Amino acid sequence: MRIGLVGLGRMGANMSRRWIRAGHSVVGYARHADTVAGLVADGAISAGATSLADLVAQLETPRILWLMVPAASVDSTLADLVPLLASDDVVVDGGNSYYVDDIRRSASLAKAGIHYLDCGTSGGVAGLQRGYCLMIGGSAEAVQRLDPLFRALAPGVDAASRTPGRTGEPTSAENGYLHCGPSGAGHFVKMIHNGVEYGLMAAYAEGLNILQHADAGRQTLEVSAEVTPLRDPELYQYQFDIAAVTEVWRRGSVIASWLLDLAAQAFLNDASLSGFEGRVSDSGEGRWTSIAAIDVGAPAPVLTTALYERFTSRGESDFADRVLSAMRLGFGGHEEQKG
């Protein structure tokens, strides 16, 4: 199959490489001509385009266009792209768009007979080797038409052992890609996926932080009426090798995961993680997950708290903390303890 790819960043370029390995042809377009030329020379894309019009002209009808651009850029990209397309063409948004926007976009493109698919794509920069987990929304007809492209990106059934009880020909889900439902369904599932990711990451971080502080009884702490003293310092005399702990947890533990693998690699590279400031961004999915949980009345305290912790990491709670200090000073004369 021949596909037009808009957006040639780390994710887009690596996805293109997997398509080409599987025998597909990829025409790539990015805003910077140097990026396109470099990827053509590297063999990461089959051919380059100088504009969206040039990209569309190099594709056979019905065309397949795959967008790997930031969520904030999808509407403007579609505004330029859609007038160049024709009925029965397919546009796939493989980024992290809000599913509500997918519903709107799909309805708008349907008026011109254009199929719109939303495809939540998980795999990050390691997807080239590991493959990508794909969560797809849109019409069954369009999804089936693009099945060879989804299959080429997905990890395949051998990426994990088969669930006991599953027999026969592996399903698409077992191969790592799933048609989740109508428009928006793919990005809805990916949204919740990322909300879960926030919670898992926070759980690892909090647990490892407790281990890091398990030597509190060995520390000389300032005696102050403003700070609760450590009652039993003899109980907190441990100095754990965090890198070794994450390494042993990777083997046979019920909490083993790829995220833990990444943590172990980070601690091996720098045991103190001194190269990081601890400002954790959120790209939107965690917020949308919390909103959906509130809308449908599904309690999600872990996922929502993990999102709030990311806000805190960026200093968004500093003003609230100053308010707390001001009130404590007011009612009890409690002076702030300087760090």
Side-chain angles (χ1 to χ4, degrees):
M1 302 182 78
R2 191 168 176 85
I3 182 172
L5 178 61
V6 181
L8 300 174
R10 288 173 296 181
M11 285 279 285
N14 282 343
M15 290 165 64
S16 176
R17 290 183 173 95
R18 284 187 69 89
W19 279 321
I20 291 174
R21 287 178 183 176
H24 300 292
S25 176
V26 182
V27 183
Y29 170 72
R31 289 179 300 172
H32 301 293
D34 289 348
T35 299
V36 177
L39 291 173
V40 170
D42 189 43
I45 55 177
S46 309
T50 58
S51 65
L52 289 177
D54 182 30
L55 178 69
V56 171
Q58 295 188 55
L59 302 175
E60 303 90 355
T61 57
R63 306 174 187 88
I64 302 170
L65 282 300
W66 191 297
L67 311 184
M68 286 303 295
V69 299
S73 300
V74 174
D75 280 330
S76 60
T77 301
L78 288 175
D80 294 333
L81 181 62
V82 170
L84 305 171
L85 302 181
S87 178
D88 209 31
D89 288 348
V90 181
V91 176
V92 183
D93 177 7
N96 278 326
S97 288
Y98 190 23
Y99 79 97
V100 174
D101 293 329
D102 293 319
I103 296 172
R104 168 180 55 81
R105 291 166 184 156
S106 178
S108 177
L109 269 63
K111 296 175 183 178
I114 300 171
H115 303 279
Y116 176 91
L117 301 180
D118 49 283
C119 182
T121 308
S122 181
V125 295
L128 176 60
Q129 289 78 31
R130 294 170 57 100
Y132 299 90
C133 174
L134 306 175
M135 296 143 272
I136 311 156
S139 74
E141 174 195 347
V143 172
Q144 184 58 40
R145 188 192 305 178
L146 270 60
D147 186 82
L149 294 175
F150 297 133
R151 185 175 291 271
L153 290 179
V157 68
D158 292 335
S161 58
R162 294 197 79 179
T163 300
R166 284 192 175 271
T167 59
E169 185 69 20
T171 64
S172 69
E174 290 182 275
N175 277 288
Y177 65 104
L178 177 67
H179 181 205
C180 300
S183 294
H187 278 149
F188 192 100
V189 174
K190 179 56 161 54
M191 173 182 77
I192 304 305
H193 165 285
N194 282 26
V196 171
E197 177 186 297
Y198 282 29
L200 291 172
M201 293 174 69
Y204 283 126
E206 291 178 13
L208 294 171
N209 193 39
I210 295 170
L211 291 176
Q212 181 72 5
H213 286 81
D215 66 346
R218 302 169 65 94
Q219 308 300 318
T220 301
L221 303 176
E222 179 182 352
V223 178
S224 168
E226 297 298 318
V227 179
T228 301
L230 184 61
R231 178 173 175 174
D232 300 301
E234 67 277 8
L235 301 180
Y236 301 96
Q237 297 287 321
Y238 302 111
Q239 292 181 303
F240 293 114
D241 181 341
I242 304 300
V245 170
T246 55
E247 197 63 46
V248 74
W249 281 357
R250 295 179 60 220
R251 293 168 171 81
S253 165
V254 297
I255 63 169
S257 73
W258 184 28
L259 288 172
L260 185 59
D261 295 344
L262 297 175
Q265 185 64 63
F267 282 113
L268 178 62
N269 294 340
D270 178 3
S272 66
L273 302 184
S274 58
F276 298 91
E277 295 182 4
R279 293 177 57 86
V280 188
S281 299
D282 70 288
S283 55
E285 299 85 6
R287 302 186 189 206
W288 304 333
T289 296
S290 297
I291 291 169
I294 293 169
D295 283 346
V296 303
V302 172
L303 308 190
T304 303
T305 300
L307 171 66
Y308 288 154
E309 173 54 33
R310 294 193 176 202
F311 297 163
T312 299
S313 78
R314 305 197 298 267
E316 302 296 347
S317 66
D318 289 356
F319 183 76
D321 292 339
R322 291 198 292 272
V323 173
L324 293 175
S325 288
M327 289 189 290
R328 289 190 79 246
L329 178 63
F331 71 68
H334 301 287
E335 297 285 348
E336 281 188 324
Q337 298 299 294
K338 305 302 181 183

